[in-house]
Amino acid sequence: MTKRQNIALICVIAALAIVLVAVGGYFIDAYASSDGERRSDGFVYSVSGNTATISAYEGEDTALTIPARIAGRRVALIEEGFLDNTSVTEVIFSEDITMIELEEGVFEDNTKLTYVSLPDSLKEIPERAFSDCTGLVRVKLPSSLEKIGASAFEGCSNLETSGASGEKQFVLPDTLTEVGEDAFKDCGDLTSVTIGTGLKDIPDGMFDNCDSISSLTFAEGSTVEKIGEGAFRDNNLGKVTLPDSLKYIGAYSFENNDSSSFSSITVPAGVVTVSAYAFSGCTRLATVEFAAREDGTRDLEAIGSGAFMNCERLTTVKPSEANSNMLPDSVTKISDLTFYGCDRLAGFTIGAQIESIGDGAFAGGVASEVTGSIENKFLCEASGYQFVQLTSYTYFDDSNPNDIKTFNRAHYILTDSTGEVVYAYIGAFDPEDCNNKSGMTGEHDENKFLSFYFLMDAAIEGDIVELRPYALAGVKGMINIPDTVEIIGEYCFKDCEPEGNFLNIFIANSDCVIDEETFDETGISDNQSIQILVSDTNCALVDAIQAAIDADNRNWINIVRGDASR
């Protein structure tokens, strides 16, 4: 063979080698099934052009490495359920992976999985990716991660860290800009969470019921503007510093954080809304301050219903520059149940800017303890609000029925400028010096209105126009309602008890309007009755009472002409 022939043969062999290398991936497969599935090293995959999609793993390895390429093709997608029915406990993605996607639910319900190392090139962890992986302890997050889908780690009850083994810190990278609802809900072993600078919106339920989280850190330079509903509900948080960028605190967002270390919170100056029940049930929370900017301004406009409900150790609620308990001047409404059950809150001032006070806003205080101690002070400096005195009442301790005390000038109703009752409580203080004396709250009933429990012989004085729902609930004995009262609300006499066999209610205004449930659920027992005294038995009031009374109850409610004399 001549030299030229040898060179030609070598070129032919080299060309064949190149072809074999180029298409070799197609022949390396053990076999390709009729439906397009291929198998290699335990992986079941399909191909499209130069990419491969892994759909399952049939091998026996417990520590599995996801390759960058299979049979010469780039691994582009991992399908949902690819580890079903395997014994794999660890998954490590090759560092050579430059672009890959995961399908929704890709590792869902893999209870044997304990560790996953995701590639730095991964941009998104999809919805339900690891949900209910109850054995998962550690996840290495990508350094370039941008999105975590809804419920991605929900129910990972043993998840502890995004770092090295043994560390108990879960750090969300600064590149992360979007997280779906309930992303880490019910991750009961998380103890320390750091939120990076890229996330602006903390979604609803993000760490809901993660009851071991004791450390929550917003990275320096945080851009978080919104904390969603229930985001940190039922955690075990210690001291938390909210970022200055924050504008909205969602409903139930910190509800039921009762750690002894969660004793104070400062609401940043940029917050516009503290939503309903945001801090309710935080039983160790003692201090709430509303920060201001250097120029003294703040953006707070609204505090929702029950925002601090049942914060039983709360003693201080004030703007940062104030020396006494009050809400900032920018807040014009105290919503329903805002401070319900806050029986240590003392010396609260209603500012002149307050336009309305919701039902039970300060209710559920120490009167239910029946100790006689004066712990819950309620002070008034608001223009348009007035205290109206009840003449006297008898106070007694159910645990010691023989211990009966009578007080004069000790029971008051708070009305607004129209005479409508907005708040009622039992307390021993002089209404003419309401800034220096104390009052004791009455018992709250069914989340509606503060009741006059432990009261006997209620005689209302002043220009009251309306008695709101439950306003006289629990009164014992004679009730005199003056002719200024034009409206009596539902359940106004709930649980009222007679002195003897008759509960006497005198209604002076024969044109008074009543609700069809005004006389429902009274405390009348067998052989007792209600006697409603009116100045004129031939009037619209009598017709309304008769229409409101159920036919079955007419035998124990009597309407008679009379007056307040006994």
mmCIF file with all atom_site columns, all heavy atoms in Angstrom, residues 19-38:
data_model
loop_
_atom_site.group_PDB
_atom_site.id
_atom_site.type_symbol
_atom_site.label_atom_id
_atom_site.label_alt_id
_atom_site.label_comp_id
_atom_site.label_asym_id
_atom_site.label_entity_id
_atom_site.label_seq_id
_atom_site.pdbx_PDB_ins_code
_atom_site.Cartn_x
_atom_site.Cartn_y
_atom_site.Cartn_z
_atom_site.occupancy
_atom_site.B_iso_or_equiv
_atom_site.pdbx_formal_charge
_atom_site.auth_seq_id
_atom_site.auth_comp_id
_atom_site.auth_asym_id
_atom_site.auth_atom_id
_atom_site.pdbx_PDB_model_num
ATOM 1   N N   . VAL A 1 19 ? -17.909 10.157 13.509 1.00 0.00 ? 19 VAL A N   1
ATOM 2   C CA  . VAL A 1 19 ? -19.330 9.848  13.365 1.00 0.00 ? 19 VAL A CA  1
ATOM 3   C C   . VAL A 1 19 ? -19.809 9.006  14.535 1.00 0.00 ? 19 VAL A C   1
ATOM 4   O O   . VAL A 1 19 ? -20.883 9.237  15.104 1.00 0.00 ? 19 VAL A O   1
ATOM 5   C CB  . VAL A 1 19 ? -19.582 9.125  12.038 1.00 0.00 ? 19 VAL A CB  1
ATOM 6   C CG1 . VAL A 1 19 ? -21.019 8.591  11.982 1.00 0.00 ? 19 VAL A CG1 1
ATOM 7   C CG2 . VAL A 1 19 ? -19.333 10.061 10.870 1.00 0.00 ? 19 VAL A CG2 1
ATOM 8   N N   . LEU A 1 20 ? -18.995 7.998  14.910 1.00 0.00 ? 20 LEU A N   1
ATOM 9   C CA  . LEU A 1 20 ? -19.378 7.139  16.030 1.00 0.00 ? 20 LEU A CA  1
ATOM 10  C C   . LEU A 1 20 ? -19.495 7.918  17.333 1.00 0.00 ? 20 LEU A C   1
ATOM 11  O O   . LEU A 1 20 ? -20.402 7.696  18.136 1.00 0.00 ? 20 LEU A O   1
ATOM 12  C CB  . LEU A 1 20 ? -18.358 6.009  16.184 1.00 0.00 ? 20 LEU A CB  1
ATOM 13  C CG  . LEU A 1 20 ? -18.427 4.910  15.120 1.00 0.00 ? 20 LEU A CG  1
ATOM 14  C CD1 . LEU A 1 20 ? -17.248 3.946  15.270 1.00 0.00 ? 20 LEU A CD1 1
ATOM 15  C CD2 . LEU A 1 20 ? -19.741 4.149  15.211 1.00 0.00 ? 20 LEU A CD2 1
ATOM 16  N N   . VAL A 1 21 ? -18.558 8.839  17.553 1.00 0.00 ? 21 VAL A N   1
ATOM 17  C CA  . VAL A 1 21 ? -18.618 9.658  18.770 1.00 0.00 ? 21 VAL A CA  1
ATOM 18  C C   . VAL A 1 21 ? -19.868 10.531 18.761 1.00 0.00 ? 21 VAL A C   1
ATOM 19  O O   . VAL A 1 21 ? -20.553 10.696 19.775 1.00 0.00 ? 21 VAL A O   1
ATOM 20  C CB  . VAL A 1 21 ? -17.355 10.534 18.899 1.00 0.00 ? 21 VAL A CB  1
ATOM 21  C CG1 . VAL A 1 21 ? -17.534 11.577 20.001 1.00 0.00 ? 21 VAL A CG1 1
ATOM 22  C CG2 . VAL A 1 21 ? -16.147 9.656  19.188 1.00 0.00 ? 21 VAL A CG2 1
ATOM 23  N N   . ALA A 1 22 ? -20.171 11.092 17.586 1.00 0.00 ? 22 ALA A N   1
ATOM 24  C CA  . ALA A 1 22 ? -21.301 12.018 17.492 1.00 0.00 ? 22 ALA A CA  1
ATOM 25  C C   . ALA A 1 22 ? -22.625 11.327 17.745 1.00 0.00 ? 22 ALA A C   1
ATOM 26  O O   . ALA A 1 22 ? -23.530 11.886 18.344 1.00 0.00 ? 22 ALA A O   1
ATOM 27  C CB  . ALA A 1 22 ? -21.306 12.691 16.113 1.00 0.00 ? 22 ALA A CB  1
ATOM 28  N N   . VAL A 1 23 ? -22.747 10.091 17.250 1.00 0.00 ? 23 VAL A N   1
ATOM 29  C CA  . VAL A 1 23 ? -24.033 9.392  17.368 1.00 0.00 ? 23 VAL A CA  1
ATOM 30  C C   . VAL A 1 23 ? -23.970 8.275  18.380 1.00 0.00 ? 23 VAL A C   1
ATOM 31  O O   . VAL A 1 23 ? -24.935 7.541  18.570 1.00 0.00 ? 23 VAL A O   1
ATOM 32  C CB  . VAL A 1 23 ? -24.484 8.839  15.994 1.00 0.00 ? 23 VAL A CB  1
ATOM 33  C CG1 . VAL A 1 23 ? -24.628 9.961  15.000 1.00 0.00 ? 23 VAL A CG1 1
ATOM 34  C CG2 . VAL A 1 23 ? -23.526 7.767  15.486 1.00 0.00 ? 23 VAL A CG2 1
ATOM 35  N N   . GLY A 1 24 ? -22.811 8.175  19.017 1.00 0.00 ? 24 GLY A N   1
ATOM 36  C CA  . GLY A 1 24 ? -22.620 7.055  19.940 1.00 0.00 ? 24 GLY A CA  1
ATOM 37  C C   . GLY A 1 24 ? -23.664 6.979  21.018 1.00 0.00 ? 24 GLY A C   1
ATOM 38  O O   . GLY A 1 24 ? -24.015 5.908  21.504 1.00 0.00 ? 24 GLY A O   1
ATOM 39  N N   . GLY A 1 25 ? -24.186 8.162  21.451 1.00 0.00 ? 25 GLY A N   1
ATOM 40  C CA  . GLY A 1 25 ? -25.183 8.175  22.525 1.00 0.00 ? 25 GLY A CA  1
ATOM 41  C C   . GLY A 1 25 ? -26.375 7.319  22.185 1.00 0.00 ? 25 GLY A C   1
ATOM 42  O O   . GLY A 1 25 ? -26.992 6.719  23.065 1.00 0.00 ? 25 GLY A O   1
ATOM 43  N N   . TYR A 1 26 ? -26.706 7.256  20.904 1.00 0.00 ? 26 TYR A N   1
ATOM 44  C CA  . TYR A 1 26 ? -27.871 6.481  20.509 1.00 0.00 ? 26 TYR A CA  1
ATOM 45  C C   . TYR A 1 26 ? -27.627 4.982  20.663 1.00 0.00 ? 26 TYR A C   1
ATOM 46  O O   . TYR A 1 26 ? -28.578 4.208  20.754 1.00 0.00 ? 26 TYR A O   1
ATOM 47  C CB  . TYR A 1 26 ? -28.257 6.782  19.066 1.00 0.00 ? 26 TYR A CB  1
ATOM 48  C CG  . TYR A 1 26 ? -28.682 8.208  18.842 1.00 0.00 ? 26 TYR A CG  1
ATOM 49  C CD1 . TYR A 1 26 ? -27.819 9.146  18.289 1.00 0.00 ? 26 TYR A CD1 1
ATOM 50  C CD2 . TYR A 1 26 ? -29.957 8.618  19.210 1.00 0.00 ? 26 TYR A CD2 1
ATOM 51  C CE1 . TYR A 1 26 ? -28.221 10.460 18.094 1.00 0.00 ? 26 TYR A CE1 1
ATOM 52  C CE2 . TYR A 1 26 ? -30.367 9.942  19.025 1.00 0.00 ? 26 TYR A CE2 1
ATOM 53  C CZ  . TYR A 1 26 ? -29.479 10.841 18.458 1.00 0.00 ? 26 TYR A CZ  1
ATOM 54  O OH  . TYR A 1 26 ? -29.869 12.136 18.263 1.00 0.00 ? 26 TYR A OH  1
ATOM 55  N N   . PHE A 1 27 ? -26.360 4.569  20.668 1.00 0.00 ? 27 PHE A N   1
ATOM 56  C CA  . PHE A 1 27 ? -26.050 3.147  20.747 1.00 0.00 ? 27 PHE A CA  1
ATOM 57  C C   . PHE A 1 27 ? -25.627 2.732  22.139 1.00 0.00 ? 27 PHE A C   1
ATOM 58  O O   . PHE A 1 27 ? -25.566 1.549  22.438 1.00 0.00 ? 27 PHE A O   1
ATOM 59  C CB  . PHE A 1 27 ? -24.929 2.809  19.742 1.00 0.00 ? 27 PHE A CB  1
ATOM 60  C CG  . PHE A 1 27 ? -25.320 3.104  18.337 1.00 0.00 ? 27 PHE A CG  1
ATOM 61  C CD1 . PHE A 1 27 ? -24.929 4.312  17.740 1.00 0.00 ? 27 PHE A CD1 1
ATOM 62  C CD2 . PHE A 1 27 ? -26.099 2.225  17.608 1.00 0.00 ? 27 PHE A CD2 1
ATOM 63  C CE1 . PHE A 1 27 ? -25.292 4.597  16.443 1.00 0.00 ? 27 PHE A CE1 1
ATOM 64  C CE2 . PHE A 1 27 ? -26.462 2.529  16.322 1.00 0.00 ? 27 PHE A CE2 1
ATOM 65  C CZ  . PHE A 1 27 ? -26.064 3.707  15.722 1.00 0.00 ? 27 PHE A CZ  1
ATOM 66  N N   . ILE A 1 28 ? -25.333 3.743  23.000 1.00 0.00 ? 28 ILE A N   1
ATOM 67  C CA  . ILE A 1 28 ? -24.946 3.418  24.364 1.00 0.00 ? 28 ILE A CA  1
ATOM 68  C C   . ILE A 1 28 ? -26.145 2.936  25.162 1.00 0.00 ? 28 ILE A C   1
ATOM 69  O O   . ILE A 1 28 ? -26.025 2.123  26.065 1.00 0.00 ? 28 ILE A O   1
ATOM 70  C CB  . ILE A 1 28 ? -24.298 4.637  25.030 1.00 0.00 ? 28 ILE A CB  1
ATOM 71  C CG1 . ILE A 1 28 ? -22.973 4.938  24.361 1.00 0.00 ? 28 ILE A CG1 1
ATOM 72  C CG2 . ILE A 1 28 ? -24.110 4.431  26.532 1.00 0.00 ? 28 ILE A CG2 1
ATOM 73  C CD1 . ILE A 1 28 ? -22.313 6.209  24.838 1.00 0.00 ? 28 ILE A CD1 1
ATOM 74  N N   . ASP A 1 29 ? -27.346 3.449  24.833 1.00 0.00 ? 29 ASP A N   1
ATOM 75  C CA  . ASP A 1 29 ? -28.542 3.018  25.541 1.00 0.00 ? 29 ASP A CA  1
ATOM 76  C C   . ASP A 1 29 ? -28.642 1.507  25.527 1.00 0.00 ? 29 ASP A C   1
ATOM 77  O O   . ASP A 1 29 ? -28.333 0.855  24.529 1.00 0.00 ? 29 ASP A O   1
ATOM 78  C CB  . ASP A 1 29 ? -29.803 3.564  24.867 1.00 0.00 ? 29 ASP A CB  1
ATOM 79  C CG  . ASP A 1 29 ? -29.854 5.073  24.927 1.00 0.00 ? 29 ASP A CG  1
ATOM 80  O OD1 . ASP A 1 29 ? -29.051 5.640  25.690 1.00 0.00 ? 29 ASP A OD1 1
ATOM 81  O OD2 . ASP A 1 29 ? -30.688 5.650  24.206 1.00 0.00 ? 29 ASP A OD2 1
ATOM 82  N N   . ALA A 1 30 ? -29.113 0.964  26.660 1.00 0.00 ? 30 ALA A N   1
ATOM 83  C CA  . ALA A 1 30 ? -29.331 -0.474 26.705 1.00 0.00 ? 30 ALA A CA  1
ATOM 84  C C   . ALA A 1 30 ? -30.358 -0.864 25.649 1.00 0.00 ? 30 ALA A C   1
ATOM 85  O O   . ALA A 1 30 ? -30.208 -1.847 24.940 1.00 0.00 ? 30 ALA A O   1
ATOM 86  C CB  . ALA A 1 30 ? -29.818 -0.891 28.089 1.00 0.00 ? 30 ALA A CB  1
ATOM 87  N N   . TYR A 1 31 ? -31.429 -0.063 25.607 1.00 0.00 ? 31 TYR A N   1
ATOM 88  C CA  . TYR A 1 31 ? -32.420 -0.231 24.544 1.00 0.00 ? 31 TYR A CA  1
ATOM 89  C C   . TYR A 1 31 ? -33.341 0.975  24.566 1.00 0.00 ? 31 TYR A C   1
ATOM 90  O O   . TYR A 1 31 ? -33.390 1.712  25.537 1.00 0.00 ? 31 TYR A O   1
ATOM 91  C CB  . TYR A 1 31 ? -33.241 -1.516 24.713 1.00 0.00 ? 31 TYR A CB  1
ATOM 92  C CG  . TYR A 1 31 ? -34.039 -1.559 25.982 1.00 0.00 ? 31 TYR A CG  1
ATOM 93  C CD1 . TYR A 1 31 ? -35.340 -1.050 26.028 1.00 0.00 ? 31 TYR A CD1 1
ATOM 94  C CD2 . TYR A 1 31 ? -33.496 -2.114 27.145 1.00 0.00 ? 31 TYR A CD2 1
ATOM 95  C CE1 . TYR A 1 31 ? -36.069 -1.089 27.192 1.00 0.00 ? 31 TYR A CE1 1
ATOM 96  C CE2 . TYR A 1 31 ? -34.224 -2.155 28.313 1.00 0.00 ? 31 TYR A CE2 1
ATOM 97  C CZ  . TYR A 1 31 ? -35.519 -1.648 28.324 1.00 0.00 ? 31 TYR A CZ  1
ATOM 98  O OH  . TYR A 1 31 ? -36.238 -1.699 29.481 1.00 0.00 ? 31 TYR A OH  1
ATOM 99  N N   . ALA A 1 32 ? -34.069 1.171  23.491 1.00 0.00 ? 32 ALA A N   1
ATOM 100 C CA  . ALA A 1 32 ? -35.078 2.219  23.426 1.00 0.00 ? 32 ALA A CA  1
ATOM 101 C C   . ALA A 1 32 ? -36.418 1.565  23.168 1.00 0.00 ? 32 ALA A C   1
ATOM 102 O O   . ALA A 1 32 ? -36.562 0.797  22.228 1.00 0.00 ? 32 ALA A O   1
ATOM 103 C CB  . ALA A 1 32 ? -34.752 3.206  22.304 1.00 0.00 ? 32 ALA A CB  1
ATOM 104 N N   . SER A 1 33 ? -37.410 1.847  24.035 1.00 0.00 ? 33 SER A N   1
ATOM 105 C CA  . SER A 1 33 ? -38.721 1.222  23.910 1.00 0.00 ? 33 SER A CA  1
ATOM 106 C C   . SER A 1 33 ? -39.495 1.892  22.789 1.00 0.00 ? 33 SER A C   1
ATOM 107 O O   . SER A 1 33 ? -39.128 2.953  22.290 1.00 0.00 ? 33 SER A O   1
ATOM 108 C CB  . SER A 1 33 ? -39.494 1.341  25.221 1.00 0.00 ? 33 SER A CB  1
ATOM 109 O OG  . SER A 1 33 ? -39.720 2.695  25.529 1.00 0.00 ? 33 SER A OG  1
ATOM 110 N N   . SER A 1 34 ? -40.608 1.253  22.428 1.00 0.00 ? 34 SER A N   1
ATOM 111 C CA  . SER A 1 34 ? -41.410 1.756  21.310 1.00 0.00 ? 34 SER A CA  1
ATOM 112 C C   . SER A 1 34 ? -42.024 3.114  21.597 1.00 0.00 ? 34 SER A C   1
ATOM 113 O O   . SER A 1 34 ? -42.331 3.861  20.680 1.00 0.00 ? 34 SER A O   1
ATOM 114 C CB  . SER A 1 34 ? -42.516 0.750  20.969 1.00 0.00 ? 34 SER A CB  1
ATOM 115 O OG  . SER A 1 34 ? -43.347 0.542  22.120 1.00 0.00 ? 34 SER A OG  1
ATOM 116 N N   . ASP A 1 35 ? -42.234 3.436  22.915 1.00 0.00 ? 35 ASP A N   1
ATOM 117 C CA  . ASP A 1 35 ? -42.835 4.723  23.236 1.00 0.00 ? 35 ASP A CA  1
ATOM 118 C C   . ASP A 1 35 ? -41.809 5.834  23.390 1.00 0.00 ? 35 ASP A C   1
ATOM 119 O O   . ASP A 1 35 ? -42.131 6.935  23.829 1.00 0.00 ? 35 ASP A O   1
ATOM 120 C CB  . ASP A 1 35 ? -43.692 4.619  24.505 1.00 0.00 ? 35 ASP A CB  1
ATOM 121 C CG  . ASP A 1 35 ? -42.873 4.213  25.719 1.00 0.00 ? 35 ASP A CG  1
ATOM 122 O OD1 . ASP A 1 35 ? -41.637 4.070  25.583 1.00 0.00 ? 35 ASP A OD1 1
ATOM 123 O OD2 . ASP A 1 35 ? -43.466 4.035  26.801 1.00 0.00 ? 35 ASP A OD2 1
ATOM 124 N N   . GLY A 1 36 ? -40.567 5.575  23.077 1.00 0.00 ? 36 GLY A N   1
ATOM 125 C CA  . GLY A 1 36 ? -39.542 6.593  23.105 1.00 0.00 ? 36 GLY A CA  1
ATOM 126 C C   . GLY A 1 36 ? -38.728 6.615  24.378 1.00 0.00 ? 36 GLY A C   1
ATOM 127 O O   . GLY A 1 36 ? -37.780 7.400  24.493 1.00 0.00 ? 36 GLY A O   1
ATOM 128 N N   . GLU A 1 37 ? -39.082 5.817  25.383 1.00 0.00 ? 37 GLU A N   1
ATOM 129 C CA  . GLU A 1 37 ? -38.301 5.779  26.617 1.00 0.00 ? 37 GLU A CA  1
ATOM 130 C C   . GLU A 1 37 ? -36.955 5.111  26.369 1.00 0.00 ? 37 GLU A C   1
ATOM 131 O O   . GLU A 1 37 ? -36.846 4.128  25.643 1.00 0.00 ? 37 GLU A O   1
ATOM 132 C CB  . GLU A 1 37 ? -39.062 5.008  27.709 1.00 0.00 ? 37 GLU A CB  1
ATOM 133 C CG  . GLU A 1 37 ? -40.186 5.786  28.340 1.00 0.00 ? 37 GLU A CG  1
ATOM 134 C CD  . GLU A 1 37 ? -40.745 5.053  29.556 1.00 0.00 ? 37 GLU A CD  1
ATOM 135 O OE1 . GLU A 1 37 ? -40.408 3.868  29.744 1.00 0.00 ? 37 GLU A OE1 1
ATOM 136 O OE2 . GLU A 1 37 ? -41.526 5.671  30.316 1.00 0.00 ? 37 GLU A OE2 1
ATOM 137 N N   . ARG A 1 38 ? -35.938 5.655  27.003 1.00 0.00 ? 38 ARG A N   1
ATOM 138 C CA  . ARG A 1 38 ? -34.597 5.105  26.910 1.00 0.00 ? 38 ARG A CA  1
ATOM 139 C C   . ARG A 1 38 ? -34.065 4.905  28.324 1.00 0.00 ? 38 ARG A C   1
ATOM 140 O O   . ARG A 1 38 ? -34.546 5.532  29.272 1.00 0.00 ? 38 ARG A O   1
ATOM 141 C CB  . ARG A 1 38 ? -33.674 6.042  26.109 1.00 0.00 ? 38 ARG A CB  1
ATOM 142 C CG  . ARG A 1 38 ? -34.155 6.300  24.693 1.00 0.00 ? 38 ARG A CG  1
ATOM 143 C CD  . ARG A 1 38 ? -33.418 7.441  24.031 1.00 0.00 ? 38 ARG A CD  1
ATOM 144 N NE  . ARG A 1 38 ? -33.937 7.715  22.700 1.00 0.00 ? 38 ARG A NE  1
ATOM 145 C CZ  . ARG A 1 38 ? -33.420 7.232  21.578 1.00 0.00 ? 38 ARG A CZ  1
ATOM 146 N NH1 . ARG A 1 38 ? -32.349 6.445  21.631 1.00 0.00 ? 38 ARG A NH1 1
ATOM 147 N NH2 . ARG A 1 38 ? -33.949 7.526  20.412 1.00 0.00 ? 38 ARG A NH2 1
#
